[in-house]
Amino acid sequence: MKAKVTVMLKTGVLDPQGEAVKSALGSLGFQGVDAVRQGKVIELDLAETDAAAAEIAVKEMCEKLLANTVIESYSIEIA
Amino acid sequence: MKAKVTVMLKTGVLDPQGEAVKSALGSLGFQGVDAVRQGKVIELDLAETDAAAAEIAVKEMCEKLLANTVIESYSIEIA
């Protein structure tokens, strides 16, 4: 079973990486880029075959390791 | 118009970040994690209102800045 976790900084948390990308796009001549946020995506191959159990396990992984829940939010897709 | 770009290392390219996450999950007692790949996700707010034009612009941004196409592949979602 595969899981895809997307971790983004919460709204309101300053995102210097995103700002740097926005600025670099501007320097390269790309117009009309109003905002950029950068996050990370983690793809997991799990031995678990039950989707519900996999989601519970991945949620625990997010809380314990993959996301810093003070400043980051995460979303999980099981496929 | 919003665009979401996902950039992952190509298959076969060593992913030390993913390996580190896999190892850390193992240390925390999570069983059955067969493989982990880590990539980045970039969310763009664009002034462009035409989806086709936005996709063309974002593709150019990927080729020029957002992805290193020698070792990374990217996918674009326009919403």
Side-chain angles (χ1 to χ4, degrees), chain B residues 9-11 16 20 23-24 26 34 40 44 50-51 55 59-61 64 70 74 76-77:
Chain B
L9 284 167
K10 287 182 179 168
T11 314
S23 157
D34 295 333
K40 58 191 174 180
L44 302 149
D50 178 61
E55 184 155 1
K59 192 158 183 234
E60 206 183 334
M61 292 176 200
K64 283 202 180 159
V70 177
Y74 61 87
I76 298 168
E77 289 166 58

Coordinates of all heavy atoms in Angstrom, one line a residue, chain B residues 9-11 16 20 23-24 26 34 40 44 50-51 55 59-61 64 70 74 76-77:
Chain B
L9 N 12.7 13.0 -6.8 CA 13.9 12.5 -7.5 C 13.4 11.4 -8.4 O 12.5 10.6 -8.1 CB 14.8 11.9 -6.4 CG 15.6 13.0 -5.7 CD1 16.3 12.4 -4.4 CD2 16.7 13.6 -6.5
K10 N 14.1 11.2 -9.6 CA 13.8 10.2 -10.5 C 14.1 8.8 -9.9 O 14.9 8.7 -9.0 CB 14.6 10.3 -11.8 CG 14.1 11.5 -12.6 CD 14.8 11.6 -13.9 CE 14.3 12.8 -14.8 NZ 15.1 13.1 -15.9
T11 N 13.3 7.8 -10.4 CA 13.6 6.4 -9.9 C 15.0 6.1 -10.2 O 15.5 6.4 -11.3 CB 12.6 5.5 -10.7 OG1 11.3 6.0 -10.7 CG2 12.6 4.1 -10.0
P16 N 18.9 10.1 -0.2 CA 19.4 10.0 1.2 C 18.4 10.5 2.3 O 18.3 10.0 3.4 CB 20.7 10.8 1.3 CG 20.7 11.6 0.0 CD 19.8 11.0 -1.0
A20 N 16.9 8.4 5.3 CA 17.0 8.9 6.7 C 15.6 8.8 7.4 O 15.5 8.4 8.5 CB 17.5 10.3 6.7
S23 N 14.8 5.1 8.1 CA 15.6 4.7 9.2 C 15.0 5.2 10.5 O 14.9 4.5 11.5 CB 17.0 5.1 9.0 OG 17.7 5.2 10.2
A24 N 14.7 6.5 10.5 CA 14.1 7.2 11.7 C 12.8 6.5 12.1 O 12.5 6.3 13.3 CB 13.9 8.7 11.5
G26 N 11.9 3.5 11.5 CA 12.3 2.2 12.1 C 12.7 2.3 13.6 O 12.3 1.6 14.4
D34 N 8.5 -0.2 3.8 CA 9.4 -0.8 2.8 C 10.3 0.2 2.1 O 11.4 -0.1 1.8 CB 8.6 -1.6 1.8 CG 7.8 -2.7 2.4 OD1 8.3 -3.2 3.5 OD2 6.8 -3.1 1.9
K40 N 9.6 17.6 -3.0 CA 9.1 18.9 -2.5 C 7.9 19.2 -3.3 O 7.7 18.8 -4.4 CB 10.2 19.9 -2.6 CG 10.8 20.1 -4.0 CD 12.0 21.0 -4.0 CE 12.6 21.0 -5.4 NZ 13.8 21.8 -5.5
L44 N 1.9 27.7 -6.1 CA 2.0 29.0 -6.7 C 0.6 29.6 -6.8 O -0.3 29.0 -7.3 CB 2.6 28.8 -8.1 CG 4.0 28.2 -8.2 CD1 4.1 27.4 -9.5 CD2 5.1 29.2 -8.0
D50 N -6.2 31.9 -17.3 CA -6.4 30.8 -18.2 C -5.6 29.6 -17.9 O -4.4 29.6 -17.7 CB -6.1 31.3 -19.6 CG -6.2 30.2 -20.7 OD1 -7.4 29.7 -20.8 OD2 -5.2 29.8 -21.3
A51 N -6.3 28.4 -17.7 CA -5.6 27.2 -17.2 C -4.5 26.7 -18.1 O -3.4 26.4 -17.6 CB -6.6 26.1 -16.9
E55 N -0.6 26.5 -17.2 CA 0.2 25.3 -17.2 C 1.5 25.5 -18.0 O 2.6 25.0 -17.6 CB -0.6 24.2 -17.8 CG 0.1 22.8 -17.7 CD -0.8 21.6 -17.6 OE1 -2.0 21.8 -17.6 OE2 -0.3 20.5 -17.6
K59 N 5.2 25.1 -16.4 CA 6.1 24.1 -17.0 C 7.5 24.8 -17.3 O 8.5 24.2 -17.0 CB 5.5 23.5 -18.3 CG 6.2 22.4 -18.8 CD 5.4 21.5 -19.7 CE 6.3 20.3 -20.1 NZ 6.4 20.0 -21.5
E60 N 7.4 26.0 -17.8 CA 8.7 26.7 -18.0 C 9.4 27.0 -16.7 O 10.6 26.9 -16.7 CB 8.3 28.0 -18.8 CG 9.5 28.5 -19.7 CD 9.2 29.8 -20.3 OE1 8.0 30.1 -20.6 OE2 10.2 30.5 -20.6
M61 N 8.6 27.4 -15.7 CA 9.2 27.6 -14.4 C 9.9 26.4 -13.9 O 11.0 26.4 -13.3 CB 8.2 28.0 -13.4 CG 7.6 29.4 -13.6 SD 6.2 29.7 -12.4 CE 5.3 31.0 -13.3
K64 N 13.2 25.7 -15.8 CA 14.2 26.7 -15.6 C 14.7 26.8 -14.2 O 15.8 27.2 -13.9 CB 13.7 28.1 -16.0 CG 13.7 28.3 -17.5 CD 13.7 29.8 -17.9 CE 13.7 29.9 -19.4 NZ 13.3 31.3 -19.8
V70 N 17.7 16.8 -14.6 CA 18.7 15.7 -14.8 C 18.4 14.6 -13.8 O 18.4 13.5 -14.2 CB 20.1 16.2 -14.6 CG1 21.1 15.1 -14.7 CG2 20.5 17.3 -15.6
Y74 N 8.9 16.2 -12.4 CA 7.9 17.0 -11.8 C 6.6 16.8 -12.4 O 6.4 16.2 -13.5 CB 8.3 18.5 -12.0 CG 8.4 19.0 -13.4 CD1 7.3 19.4 -14.1 CD2 9.6 18.9 -14.1 CE1 7.4 19.8 -15.4 CE2 9.7 19.3 -15.4 CZ 8.6 19.8 -16.0 OH 8.6 20.2 -17.4
I76 N 2.6 18.7 -12.5 CA 1.9 20.0 -12.3 C 0.4 19.8 -12.2 O -0.2 19.0 -13.0 CB 2.2 20.9 -13.5 CG1 3.6 21.2 -13.6 CG2 1.4 22.2 -13.4 CD1 4.0 21.9 -15.0
E77 N -0.2 20.3 -11.2 CA -1.7 20.3 -11.1 C -2.2 21.8 -11.1 O -1.7 22.6 -10.2 CB -2.2 19.7 -9.8 CG -2.0 18.2 -9.7 CD -2.1 17.7 -8.2 OE1 -3.2 18.0 -7.6 OE2 -1.2 17.2 -7.7

